[in-house]
Amino acid sequence: MNPDKRPWADQGNSSETEIFTSVGKALSHWEMVESAVASLFTMITLGNYSAPTTPVLRAYSAIVGSRNRMQMVRAALQSWLLSWPDCPLGPNAIDQLNLCGNWSARRNDVAHGMVDMTPDDRRWYLFPSLYATKGRKLAANPVEGKPLLFRPEYRYNAEIIDGFSQEFLGLYNQMNLITSAMGEWHRIASDQPHRN
């Protein structure tokens, strides 16, 4: 799946419950991504990632929006890499943060979508809300004199949302691997005398 593209479901679900279940699973998996990114932030700012009540984590959680948190962590990581330029995992961590930032747009679709049935096929989908400022596109009505159309830019079924959920789980696993490896590298490098 491509995080930069919104899929359009050709067929919906027969039950709204399928969509609601998929949404819940995807959002839980995204929270795991957020936790993994917070662990990276804690490791690069404190040198470990086992202090969940520290001021650093409070500051992390005060930043509104996943993409904003990813930018903050990326800036902190770039600064950390100036102090530890020999860390071979820095580019991997930056790439992973960029990927998380890209997927945050699909997380927002899921979090702010609305489950509804279409009248044409009487199937259930996740759409952007009618009043959403993102996820809808203004278009001319093909019938002259009729109101403009406010078309949805996405229509997800449970299968698509489950695909997002699996991507989120993969992001979580990869971020944890990178953070763990960086933490171990940092522990070993910190025990070595600094080269001047």
Side-chain angles (χ1 to χ4, degrees):
M1 296 183 97
N2 183 341
D4 300 321
K5 296 195 181 207
R6 288 176 160 144
W8 186 270
D10 292 326
Q11 180 157 356
N13 294 92
S14 58
S15 164
E16 63 186 323
T17 303
E18 295 171 76
I19 305 278
F20 286 128
T21 300
S22 294
V23 166
K25 182 167 63 170
L27 292 178
S28 287
H29 284 164
W30 184 261
E31 280 305 308
M32 292 166 65
V33 172
E34 292 278 358
S35 292
V37 172
S39 291
L40 174 64
F41 185 64
T42 304
M43 195 286 296
I44 60 178
T45 56
L46 298 177
N48 66 59
Y49 46 95
S50 60
T53 60
T54 66
V56 170
L57 281 183
R58 297 284 296 167
Y60 174 87
S61 63
I63 303 299
V64 176
S66 294
R67 190 173 289 271
N68 293 335
R69 282 187 292 277
M70 304 296 165
Q71 289 174 342
M72 179 187 69
V73 175
R74 188 179 310 108
L77 178 60
Q78 289 166 340
S79 177
W80 185 85
L81 288 170
L82 291 174
S83 296
W84 299 96
D86 294 338
C87 181
L89 299 161
N92 297 17
I94 289 172
D95 289 347
Q96 193 66 20
L97 283 171
N98 290 338
L99 193 54
C100 290
N102 292 345
W103 276 106
S104 70
R106 300 297 69 84
R107 175 267 176 208
N108 290 343
D109 289 348
V110 173
H112 302 293
M114 182 176 75
V115 178
D116 201 3
M117 179 188 283
T118 58
D120 57 333
D121 68 356
R122 304 203 44 82
R123 307 287 284 182
W124 293 93
Y125 301 90
L126 185 75
F127 294 101
S129 168
L130 181 60
Y131 299 99
T133 57
K134 295 179 183 176
R136 289 202 172 255
K137 184 185 242 178
L138 197 59
N141 195 315
V143 180
E144 190 175 329
K146 293 291 183 181
L148 295 173
L149 302 173
F150 201 37
R151 296 179 190 249
E153 293 180 341
Y154 65 87
R155 180 171 90 170
Y156 301 152
N157 58 16
E159 182 181 356
I160 290 171
I161 299 166
D162 287 342
F164 294 163
S165 184
Q166 287 306 305
E167 293 289 341
F168 300 163
L169 190 57
L171 291 172
Y172 164 75
N173 289 330
Q174 193 62 31
M175 185 58 76
N176 276 338
L177 286 172
I178 291 168
T179 300
S180 179
M182 284 180 71
E184 184 61 12
W185 181 91
H186 182 258
R187 185 188 65 75
I188 292 168
S190 295
D191 289 342
Q192 303 297 318
H194 279 304
R195 289 174 283 180
N196 293 327

